Amino acid sequence: MRPPILLLKEGTEDSQGKSQLLSNITACQAVVEAIRTTLGPRGMDKLIVDSRGTATISNDGATIMKISDIIHPAAKILVDIAKSQDAEVGDGTTSVVLLAGEFLKQVKPYVEEGVHPRIIIKALRKGLKIAQDRIDQIAYKMKFNNDEEYRTFLQKCAATALNSKLIHQEKDFFSKIAVDAVLLLDELLPLNMIGIKKVQGGGLQDSQLITGVSFKKTFSYAGFEMQPKHYKTPKIALLNIELELKAERSNAEVRVNTVEEFQKVVDTEWNILYEKLEHIYKSGAQVVLSKLPIGDVATQYFADRDMFCAGRVVDEDLKRTMKACGGVIVATTYDLNDSVLGKCESFEEKQIGGDRFNIFSGCPNAKACTIILRGGGEHLLDETERSLHDAIMIVRRTVKNDSIVAGGGAIEMELSKVLRDYSRSIAGKEQLIVAAIAKSLEIIPRQLCDNAGFDATNILNKLRQKHAQGGEAFGVDINREHVVDNFENCVWEPVIIKKNALAAAIEAACLVLSVDQTIKNPKSGGGEEQQQGRGRGRPM
């Protein structure tokens, strides 16, 4: 009898081989089932309650995947590709998960029949190469005669992204805001220069875009209401200084022998504060913003001199103000002059809904903007913000890569046709796998039909016929339950979305297929099960 050889700690789960691969594919399909109904203009929303009891209503694929606490290791791969699509492009998060799940579903029978995963992976990569080459061939690079045409084109791309969102009724209004916001930025198009503030109350149409910076009124002390709330061409001081008397640390010790000496210590403290305030006043600044608190003495001092101040301004808002109005955030009041002060055409404090906002408009370096969203409930505002983020990301990407393809399932049907034709020209097992990829791509138009309540088989048959006859831009017409040339119908999507989604979905499928063993280590601490067991002599 040979003694058994223990490689792994007791209690380790070790599954391998074909059965384990199939169970991973099944887990990925379960994730797809959960979010497939959110695709497209007629997609449904999901209500997710997290461990803290916070409810989120959304139909954004990436948001749903993030909040759903998925623990299956293989299914987590789909969460990662949804996050990467969201970070890279901003839209197409549901599509990428749907495609990855469908690729796995279509090759599952071949895995069961014993085709080696490496052959399947090779065929998947070959299929991706052909699909991406075809996208490049049919991509249309827009040409514009003037800025107005360019703006209209960007708005149509943003409207396509908003079509599938909760706020699709207001897509024209919000696509205009998204385009205006992105075109205000500099060449690098930094996303953090677009501030989004949410104010409950009012309708969605009351939302507005402010060229420049706006932020909520910060915590204020006595004397604040005496300060003016409107300035024309003010100078703005941006500080990182605390303007209030600080209580000494509990372990600090100052020894004094007489009352006069104590009075000197107190006076010095006050003089230091007043000296700082006088420097700010003499610099000519009328609006004083600080990252740190501005106390009641300073607030009253500024009020007496017709100056406005706001302390505890969020770092992000302060940096955005600096970018838009010029100036520098300083850590000392000495040497405050015009070169370090910001400027803008007008400053005002304005009531919006239940909140007051400080608004800087007419900024000389207006490479920043703020969108103030209005709407009924908190959930609606949160979802509006997520939808607008997708639209802004699409516009950013389209500005950098202005090639487009027809949306609404048209590009997927065209790629499906190309791959099906290619599969007939090759021999061997790869022929079956490439045909399976071609079939998988039809999941997008099929799901668009299912979510809208149409007869998917009927519409897909019409689409196959149109694409076989050379109608490469034909996709699903959601409004008339028919097929339509989506290029003429202005349902456009940037090429980068489709290429990124296909590449991410194929890579995720290859990753799942290449795993042939899962080892799950027990929890550290010797396993809870052992500790809870009944020890010798312990009562039942």
Side-chain angles (χ1 to χ4, degrees), residues 318-463:
L318 200 63
K319 281 182 179 159
R320 221 174 315 121
T321 310
M322 179 182 77
K323 192 99 171 180
C325 302
V328 180
I329 299 172
V330 291
T332 173
T333 56
Y334 293 94
D335 203 29
L336 272 178
N337 54 43
D338 285 1
S339 65
V340 295
L341 296 179
K343 299 178 189 67
C344 68
E345 275 176 27
S346 83
F347 164 81
E348 66 171 321
E349 188 174 285
K350 195 174 172 187
Q351 186 83 18
I352 299 179
D355 298 308
R356 277 154 75 174
F357 276 79
N358 300 331
I359 299 172
F360 299 83
S361 45
C363 305
N365 317 349
K367 304 289 186 201
C369 58
T370 308
I371 298 168
I372 295 177
L373 294 179
R374 305 296 311 279
E378 192 184 335
H379 293 309
L380 175 68
L381 279 174
D382 288 346
E383 182 62 5
T384 305
E385 184 186 6
R386 282 190 287 269
S387 307
L388 201 55
H389 169 263
D390 282 12
I392 287 168
M393 289 291 281
I394 286 300
V395 178
R396 279 180 75 222
R397 287 289 162 210
T398 313
V399 168
K400 289 182 180 176
N401 316 70
D402 55 358
S403 298
I404 52 165
V405 287
I411 183 71
E412 283 83 8
M413 286 305 294
E414 180 61 19
L415 296 179
S416 177
K417 182 205 115 181
V418 168
L419 286 171
R420 197 176 283 112
D421 292 347
Y422 173 74
S423 73
R424 295 194 187 109
S425 69
I426 54 173
K429 294 173 187 168
E430 281 186 5
Q431 181 190 38
L432 300 168
I433 315 295
V434 173
I437 302 170
K439 191 175 179 193
S440 310
L441 287 163
E442 291 182 353
I443 184 67
I444 301 290
R446 181 180 293 280
Q447 199 59 48
L448 287 173
C449 296
D450 286 345
N451 290 351
F454 301 163
D455 180 350
T457 311
N458 183 21
I459 287 180
L460 277 178
N461 285 339
K462 287 178 185 170
L463 281 176

Side-chain angles (χ1 to χ4, degrees), residues 248-256:
E248 284 302 331
R249 285 204 194 91
S250 52
N251 61 354
E253 190 176 308
V254 180
R255 295 196 176 194
V256 288

